[in-house]
């Protein structure tokens, strides 16, 4: 399995299905590193601590974090299972962005941005990142979100350790399409 495939498998385990390698996450999404490595090796994915540290360090999206002594690991956000990753509530910038595929525009314009299978809606601080995210879903469309107005109206925002902004829902009235690539 390539390093990229191994990283995707770790993402599946830590965000959605820890049971595929026989582990459990604690209430904050942490997994025991030794149990993760043992479970992955038992499932046929050759991995050791050195490779795990390389994957965590090299991940361009900074998906994962270790605790201080590297005995625990977790995904920073994107979970479909209920965990509290101890997100820091923050005042957002006035404008944030959301990239998606063209095929989702009608649904978004009807119900706003909803987390679907995830716990939060993921927002970007810049346009280029939103385009990149949207490209994963087909022809990209970028929405501008008036996050400052939402916060003033009482919506809570969180900033993940890897710089992704999160919120529970973005109503239609705070959205505007600003780019179709």
């Amino acid at each position: 399995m390539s390093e990229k495939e191994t990283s995707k498998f770790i993402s599946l385990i830590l965000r959605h299905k820890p049971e595929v390698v026989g582990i459990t996450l604690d209430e904050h999404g942490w997994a025991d590193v030794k149990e993760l490595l043992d479970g992955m090796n038992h499932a046929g994915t050759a991995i050791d601590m050195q490779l795990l540290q390389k994957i965590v360090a090299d991940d361009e999206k900074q998906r994962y974090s270790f605790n201080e002594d590297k005995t625990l690991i977790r995904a920073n956000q994107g979970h479909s299972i209920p965990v509290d990753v101890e997100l820091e509530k923050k005042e957002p910038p006035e404008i944030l962005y959301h990239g998606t595929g063209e095929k989702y525009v009608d649904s978004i314009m009807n119900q706003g941005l909803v987390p679907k299978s995830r716990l939060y809606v993921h927002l970007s601080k810049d346009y280029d990142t939103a385009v990149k995210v949207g490209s994963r879903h087909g022809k990209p469309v970028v929405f501008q979100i008036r996050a400052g107005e939402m916060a003033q109206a009482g919506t809570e925002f969180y900033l993940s350790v890897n710089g992704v902004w999160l919120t529970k829902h973005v109503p239609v009235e705070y959205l505007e399409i600003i780019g179709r690539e």
Side-chain angles (χ1 to χ4, degrees):
M1 191 178 274
S2 72
E3 188 176 315
K4 184 175 182 177
E5 291 169 324
T6 302
S7 180
K8 285 184 176 187
F9 189 39
I10 293 168
S11 180
L12 172 76
I13 295 163
L14 296 179
R15 294 165 70 186
H16 310 293
K17 296 182 176 183
E19 68 276 6
V20 299
V21 294
I23 66 169
T24 57
L25 307 180
D26 73 11
E27 67 273 13
H28 300 294
W30 292 106
D32 181 275
V33 168
K34 183 178 179 342
E35 290 177 10
L36 174 67
L37 295 173
D38 289 347
M40 289 180 69
N41 280 297
H42 184 73
T45 299
I47 188 168
D48 59 15
M49 186 61 176
Q50 184 178 354
L51 178 56
L52 182 62
Q53 287 178 294
K54 182 175 182 348
I55 287 170
V56 171
D58 293 350
D59 188 88
E60 69 177 32
K61 296 181 190 173
Q62 293 297 293
R63 288 182 184 96
Y64 319 108
S65 294
F66 284 114
N67 67 341
E68 284 186 27
D69 64 2
K70 296 187 178 174
T71 58
L72 301 174
I73 186 172
R74 72 176 171 193
N76 290 322
Q77 89 275 327
H79 298 82
S80 62
I81 53 177
V83 295
D84 171 13
V85 291
E86 305 165 298
L87 294 168
E88 186 178 351
K89 195 183 303 183
K90 290 278 230 175
E91 192 71 25
E94 283 301 311
I95 301 296
L96 288 169
Y97 303 90
H98 180 82
T100 191
E102 178 78 41
K103 61 188 169 193
Y104 300 115
V105 170
D106 289 343
S107 173
I108 291 168
M109 293 310 292
N110 284 324
Q111 62 186 26
L113 292 171
V114 296
K116 299 198 313 194
S117 64
R118 293 183 173 183
L119 301 179
Y120 295 96
V121 173
H122 293 202
L123 305 172
S124 305
K125 65 181 181 234
D126 64 82
Y127 181 88
D128 291 339
T129 300
V131 170
K132 191 173 179 182
V133 170
S135 296
R136 289 188 232 133
H137 303 285
K139 184 177 180 200
V141 175
V142 176
F143 285 89
Q144 179 176 284
I145 292 94
R146 293 189 314 278
E149 286 180 36
M150 286 179 63
Q152 286 179 344
T155 301
E156 293 180 343
F157 285 84
Y158 304 92
L159 183 57
S160 179
V161 296
N162 63 351
V164 175
W165 285 91
L166 306 166
T167 193
K168 289 289 189 181
H169 176 244
V170 179
V172 174
E173 60 266 26
Y174 295 102
L175 292 170
E176 178 185 349
I177 296 173
I178 61 163
R180 291 179 191 258
E181 298 295 316

